[in-house]
Amino acid sequence: MQRRLWNSLHLRASTARALHAYRQAEARFHEVQERKDALDAEERVILHIWTEKLSKASLKPGDHEGFQSAYLSLGQRRAELFESWQTANADLASAYEQARRVLREFGFTSPLDD
C-alpha cells in the first residue's frame, strides 16, 4: 500500500515537473519565434519599399547603399537569433518528449505513440 502511494506521488511530482519544464520551454520558444516573426515583417517592409522604388524608377543615389545596409543589418540580427531559435526549438522538443514519457507512465497515450 505504501509502495503504491509512493509510486503515485512520485508519478504526480514527475508529471508536474515535466509539464512545468514544457511550459517554460514553450514560452522561451514562442518569445524567440516572435522575435523571428518581427524580423520577417521587417524584411517584408524593406523589400516592399525597395520594389516600390524600383517600379517607380525613383531611386536616389544613396538608395542602393541604404538598402544594402538595412538588409545586412537584418541578416546579422537573424544570424544572431538563429542559435537561440535552434536551442529553444531543441529544448521544446526535449521537454515535449519528457512530458510524453511521464504521461505514458500514467497510462495516457496519444496517436503519436504508435
Side-chain angles (χ1 to χ4, degrees), residues 25 32 39 81 93 103:
V32 173
L39 291 175
L81 185 63
L103 289 173

Side-chain angles (χ1 to χ4, degrees), residues 13-109:
S14 296
T15 302
R17 282 191 303 275
L19 294 176
H20 178 73
Y22 179 81
R23 283 192 299 272
Q24 285 183 323
E26 185 179 38
R28 279 192 305 273
F29 176 80
H30 285 299
E31 185 268 325
V32 173
Q33 185 65 43
E34 285 175 2
R35 290 176 23 214
K36 182 189 172 298
D37 292 345
L39 291 175
D40 291 345
E42 184 178 339
E43 179 180 35
R44 286 190 296 275
V45 169
I46 291 169
L47 292 174
H48 177 74
I49 291 169
W50 183 250
T51 55
E52 285 292 312
K53 286 184 179 236
L54 285 175
S55 70
K56 293 178 182 175
S58 62
L59 292 173
K60 296 181 180 95
D63 284 346
H64 284 94
E65 291 80 17
F67 174 76
Q68 286 175 339
S69 175
Y71 218 73
L72 178 61
S73 171
L74 180 68
Q76 288 171 336
R77 288 180 285 144
R78 200 172 254 152
E80 291 167 1
L81 185 63
F82 183 70
E83 186 176 339
S84 296
W85 185 88
Q86 275 189 314
T87 300
N89 189 45
D91 290 348
L92 181 59
S94 176
Y96 174 77
E97 287 303 319
Q98 178 60 26
R100 282 183 60 203
R101 275 192 297 277
V102 170
L103 289 173
R104 277 194 305 266
E105 285 182 44
F106 255 126
F108 293 101
T109 60

